[in-house]
Amino acid sequence: MVITHLIGGLGNQMFQYAAGRAVSLERGVSLSLDISGFANYGLHQGFELQRIFNCTAEIANEADVRGILGWQSSPRIRQLLSRQNMAIFRREGFVVEPHFHYWQGIKSVPRDCYLTGYWQSEQYFLEAAAQIRADFTFKLPLDNQNIELAKQINAVNAVSLHVRRGDYANTPETTATHGLCSLDYYRVAIRHIAEQVQQPHFFVFSDDIAWVKNNLSIDFPCQYVDHNQGAESYNDMRLMSMCRHHIIANSSFSWWGAWLNPNVNKIVVAPSRWFAKQTDVRDLLPQGWIKQ
């Protein structure tokens, strides 16, 4: 089997799942998810995939992991061995993402393997895109407020605009790693959309709507979405995916909101600088997405 290690917020989990699913399909074996990292995980909403999406993968147990990794089975040991300087101690089936950009070696991993990394490139699952889209259909019905908003989105030239702040703005360590998209980025992106889209109507999603209202002026019809919170925050991604075009943040959450939109003519504007620290992100954005 293929086992993929999940950690992080919803967008990260989706990348990790998609890479593992694509490998399992290519190898003709089952996919299981190692969610042991969420046992003491206090960030985001914890493990969310199976609550939200029609994913069918099993949850891996320690016996499954030992079947591939042998004695290297405890979550703590797996965490240590995932570091580059511990590579000499890894077994063949322990597959650690070597860098952020696309890694060709994924095509030659063993049939039975354990994947750990973030795998943030469409190239890891492009050949399985149809199946990934099916797996990432939303399971739960919309509530009345979101039904009404979905109707409004479908009635106009809807453009999702995502401003990620939260820990990006309030946690110094996270700010130093990820940084924040500038107001200039959003102004240029809005102008680009306005030049390409007739009568754009912006739907603004953020974990700090008050900040957006006070700092970003949008001279077009605009609606702020602030009611999906906590366990229901995934519905922002769902509503984003219903829009025709997208301005995303340096966030895997809005990356997926844009990717799940099946419209082949969609315009997606994304920040050219994804991290505050220099990182090779050449394969992060799908072909056709516009860097600003």
Coordinates of all heavy atoms in Angstrom, one line a residue, residues 5-42:
H5 N 1.6 10.7 4.9 CA 1.5 11.4 6.2 C 0.8 12.7 6.1 O 1.1 13.5 5.2 CB 2.9 11.6 6.7 CG 3.0 12.4 8.0 ND1 3.4 13.7 8.0 CD2 2.7 12.1 9.3 CE1 3.4 14.2 9.3 NE2 2.9 13.2 10.1
L6 N -0.2 13.0 6.9 CA -1.0 14.2 6.8 C -0.7 15.1 8.1 O -0.6 14.6 9.2 CB -2.5 13.9 6.8 CG -3.1 13.1 5.7 CD1 -4.6 13.1 5.8 CD2 -2.7 13.7 4.3
I7 N -0.5 16.4 7.8 CA -0.3 17.3 8.8 C -0.7 18.7 8.3 O -0.7 18.9 7.0 CB 1.1 17.3 9.4 CG1 1.1 17.9 10.9 CG2 2.1 18.0 8.5 CD1 0.3 17.1 11.9
G8 N -0.9 19.7 9.1 CA -1.2 21.0 8.7 C -2.7 21.3 8.5 O -3.6 20.5 8.9
G9 N -3.0 22.5 7.9 CA -4.4 22.8 7.7 C -5.0 22.1 6.5 O -4.3 21.2 5.9
L10 N -6.2 22.5 6.2 CA -6.9 21.7 5.1 C -6.2 21.7 3.8 O -6.1 20.7 3.1 CB -8.3 22.3 5.0 CG -9.2 21.7 3.9 CD1 -9.5 20.2 4.2 CD2 -10.6 22.4 3.9
G11 N -5.7 22.9 3.4 CA -5.0 22.9 2.1 C -3.8 22.0 2.0 O -3.6 21.3 1.0
N12 N -3.0 22.0 3.1 CA -1.9 21.1 3.2 C -2.3 19.6 3.1 O -1.7 18.8 2.4 CB -1.1 21.3 4.4 CG -0.3 22.6 4.4 OD1 0.0 23.1 3.4 ND2 0.0 23.2 5.6
Q13 N -3.3 19.3 3.8 CA -3.8 17.9 3.8 C -4.3 17.5 2.4 O -4.1 16.4 2.0 CB -5.0 17.8 4.8 CG -4.7 18.0 6.3 CD -5.9 18.0 7.2 OE1 -6.8 17.2 7.0 NE2 -5.9 18.9 8.1
M14 N -4.9 18.4 1.7 CA -5.3 18.1 0.3 C -4.1 17.8 -0.6 O -4.2 16.9 -1.4 CB -6.2 19.3 -0.2 CG -7.5 19.4 0.6 SD -8.4 20.9 0.2 CE -9.0 20.5 -1.5
F15 N -3.1 18.6 -0.5 CA -1.9 18.3 -1.3 C -1.3 17.0 -1.0 O -0.9 16.2 -1.8 CB -0.8 19.4 -1.1 CG -1.0 20.6 -2.0 CD1 -1.3 21.9 -1.4 CD2 -0.8 20.6 -3.3 CE1 -1.4 23.0 -2.2 CE2 -0.9 21.7 -4.1 CZ -1.2 22.9 -3.6
Q16 N -1.2 16.7 0.3 CA -0.6 15.4 0.8 C -1.4 14.2 0.3 O -0.9 13.2 -0.2 CB -0.4 15.4 2.3 CG 0.6 16.4 2.7 CD 0.4 16.9 4.2 OE1 -0.6 16.6 4.8 NE2 1.4 17.7 4.7
Y17 N -2.8 14.4 0.4 CA -3.7 13.3 0.0 C -3.5 13.1 -1.5 O -3.4 12.0 -2.0 CB -5.1 13.7 0.3 CG -6.1 12.7 -0.2 CD1 -6.6 11.6 0.5 CD2 -6.6 12.9 -1.5 CE1 -7.5 10.7 0.0 CE2 -7.6 12.0 -2.1 CZ -8.0 10.9 -1.3 OH -8.9 10.0 -1.9
A18 N -3.6 14.2 -2.3 CA -3.6 14.2 -3.7 C -2.3 13.5 -4.3 O -2.4 12.6 -5.2 CB -3.7 15.6 -4.3
A19 N -1.2 13.8 -3.7 CA 0.1 13.1 -4.1 C 0.0 11.6 -3.8 O 0.4 10.8 -4.7 CB 1.3 13.8 -3.4
G20 N -0.4 11.3 -2.6 CA -0.5 9.9 -2.3 C -1.5 9.1 -3.1 O -1.3 8.0 -3.5
R21 N -2.6 9.8 -3.4 CA -3.7 9.1 -4.2 C -3.2 8.9 -5.6 O -3.4 7.8 -6.2 CB -4.9 10.1 -4.3 CG -6.1 9.5 -5.1 CD -6.8 8.4 -4.3 NE -8.2 8.3 -4.7 CZ -8.7 7.2 -5.2 NH1 -8.0 6.1 -5.3 NH2 -10.0 7.2 -5.5
A22 N -2.4 9.8 -6.2 CA -1.9 9.7 -7.5 C -0.9 8.5 -7.6 O -0.9 7.7 -8.5 CB -1.3 11.0 -8.0
V23 N 0.0 8.4 -6.6 CA 0.9 7.3 -6.5 C 0.2 6.0 -6.4 O 0.5 5.0 -7.1 CB 1.9 7.5 -5.4 CG1 2.8 6.3 -5.2 CG2 2.8 8.7 -5.6
S24 N -0.8 5.9 -5.5 CA -1.5 4.7 -5.3 C -2.2 4.2 -6.6 O -2.3 3.0 -6.9 CB -2.5 4.8 -4.2 OG -3.6 5.6 -4.5
L25 N -2.8 5.2 -7.3 CA -3.5 4.8 -8.6 C -2.5 4.3 -9.6 O -2.8 3.4 -10.3 CB -4.3 6.0 -9.1 CG -5.5 6.5 -8.3 CD1 -6.0 7.8 -8.8 CD2 -6.6 5.4 -8.4
E26 N -1.4 5.0 -9.7 CA -0.4 4.6 -10.7 C 0.2 3.2 -10.4 O 0.4 2.4 -11.3 CB 0.7 5.6 -10.7 CG 1.6 5.5 -12.0 CD 2.7 4.5 -11.8 OE1 3.1 4.2 -10.6 OE2 3.2 3.9 -12.8
R27 N 0.3 2.9 -9.1 CA 0.8 1.6 -8.7 C -0.2 0.5 -8.6 O 0.1 -0.7 -8.5 CB 1.5 1.7 -7.3 CG 2.7 2.7 -7.3 CD 3.9 2.1 -8.1 NE 5.1 2.9 -7.8 CZ 5.4 4.1 -8.4 NH1 4.6 4.6 -9.3 NH2 6.5 4.7 -8.1
G28 N -1.5 0.9 -8.6 CA -2.6 -0.1 -8.5 C -2.7 -0.7 -7.1 O -3.0 -1.8 -6.9
V29 N -2.4 0.2 -6.1 CA -2.5 -0.3 -4.7 C -3.4 0.6 -3.9 O -3.8 1.7 -4.4 CB -1.1 -0.4 -4.0 CG1 -0.2 -1.4 -4.8 CG2 -0.4 1.0 -4.0
S30 N -3.7 0.3 -2.7 CA -4.6 1.1 -1.9 C -3.8 2.3 -1.2 O -2.6 2.2 -1.1 CB -5.2 0.2 -0.7 OG -4.2 -0.3 0.1
L31 N -4.5 3.3 -0.8 CA -4.0 4.4 -0.1 C -4.5 4.5 1.3 O -5.7 4.3 1.5 CB -4.4 5.7 -0.8 CG -4.0 7.0 -0.1 CD1 -2.5 7.2 0.0 CD2 -4.7 8.2 -0.7
S32 N -3.6 4.7 2.3 CA -4.0 4.9 3.6 C -3.4 6.2 4.1 O -2.4 6.7 3.6 CB -3.5 3.7 4.5 OG -4.3 2.5 4.2
L33 N -4.0 6.8 5.1 CA -3.6 8.1 5.7 C -3.1 7.9 7.1 O -3.8 7.4 7.9 CB -4.8 9.1 5.6 CG -5.6 9.2 4.3 CD1 -6.8 10.1 4.5 CD2 -4.7 9.6 3.2
D34 N -1.9 8.4 7.3 CA -1.3 8.4 8.7 C -1.7 9.8 9.3 O -1.2 10.8 8.9 CB 0.2 8.3 8.6 CG 0.8 8.3 10.0 OD1 0.1 8.4 11.0 OD2 2.1 8.2 10.1
I35 N -2.6 9.7 10.2 CA -3.1 11.0 10.9 C -2.6 11.1 12.3 O -3.1 11.8 13.1 CB -4.6 11.1 10.8 CG1 -5.3 10.0 11.6 CG2 -5.1 11.1 9.4 CD1 -6.8 10.2 11.8
S36 N -1.6 10.3 12.6 CA -1.1 10.3 14.0 C -0.5 11.6 14.5 O -0.5 11.9 15.7 CB 0.0 9.2 14.2 OG 1.1 9.5 13.3
G37 N -0.1 12.4 13.5 CA 0.4 13.8 13.8 C -0.6 14.7 14.4 O -0.2 15.7 15.0
F38 N -1.9 14.4 14.3 CA -2.9 15.2 14.8 C -3.3 14.9 16.3 O -4.1 15.6 16.8 CB -4.2 15.1 13.9 CG -4.0 15.7 12.6 CD1 -3.9 14.9 11.4 CD2 -4.0 17.1 12.4 CE1 -3.7 15.4 10.2 CE2 -3.8 17.6 11.1 CZ -3.7 16.8 10.0
A39 N -2.6 13.9 16.8 CA -3.0 13.5 18.2 C -2.9 14.7 19.2 O -3.7 14.9 20.1 CB -2.1 12.3 18.6
N40 N -1.8 15.5 19.1 CA -1.6 16.6 20.0 C -1.5 17.9 19.2 O -0.7 18.8 19.5 CB -0.4 16.4 20.8 CG -0.5 15.2 21.7 OD1 -1.4 15.1 22.5 ND2 0.4 14.2 21.6
Y41 N -2.2 18.0 18.1 CA -2.1 19.1 17.2 C -3.1 20.2 17.5 O -4.3 19.9 17.5 CB -2.3 18.6 15.7 CG -1.9 19.6 14.6 CD1 -0.6 19.9 14.4 CD2 -2.9 20.2 13.8 CE1 -0.2 20.7 13.4 CE2 -2.6 21.0 12.8 CZ -1.2 21.3 12.6 OH -0.9 22.2 11.6
G42 N -2.7 21.4 17.9 CA -3.6 22.4 18.4 C -3.9 23.5 17.4 O -4.5 24.5 17.7

